[in-house]
Amino acid sequence: VSNQVRCLVTGEETLRFVNLCRNNGIELRHLVRRENAIQMEIDAENFKKLRPLVRKTHVKIHILNRHGPAFTDISGDGGFCWG
């Protein structure tokens, strides 16, 4: 089970961004192309590798959803700390 991040990539050079990801060995899954945006899923460990490509292509990344063991709330109280 891996940690996944679903995100939306917006900007003028979204296709160039996807090509650079593939050339750098970053696996993108569930790609859905919209007008000037692309929705995708990526492993959380690869998410940090996107930063240089984002700078190069001047796109914006918006996180839509995160799921996996690293993102689950194990406190059981919604994340609140009681003192």
Side-chain angles (χ1 to χ4, degrees):
V1 178
S2 63
N3 301 311
Q4 300 290 317
V5 177
R6 180 177 294 147
C7 52
L8 185 71
V9 180
T10 59
E12 295 296 321
E13 297 187 27
T14 54
L15 292 178
R16 181 177 177 220
F17 172 78
V18 170
N19 287 332
L20 286 173
C21 287
R22 296 203 184 231
N23 289 341
N24 286 304
I26 300 172
E27 183 184 354
L28 306 175
R29 288 182 298 283
H30 305 291
L31 289 166
V32 178
R33 186 170 178 204
R34 307 220 171 149
E35 293 175 11
N36 241 3
I38 294 177
Q39 184 175 333
M40 64 179 188
E41 274 193 17
I42 186 170
D43 289 333
E45 65 184 33
N46 286 333
F47 188 77
K48 290 186 178 183
K49 297 179 185 177
L50 296 180
R51 190 157 182 82
L53 305 179
V54 167
R55 286 185 187 145
K56 188 179 283 190
T57 56
H58 306 289
V59 295
K60 302 280 185 196
I61 295 186
H62 307 276
I63 296 175
L64 302 175
N65 191 4
R66 300 175 303 217
H67 53 282
F71 303 117
T72 55
D73 179 27
I74 60 172
S75 65
D77 60 1
F80 290 103
C81 272
W82 301 99

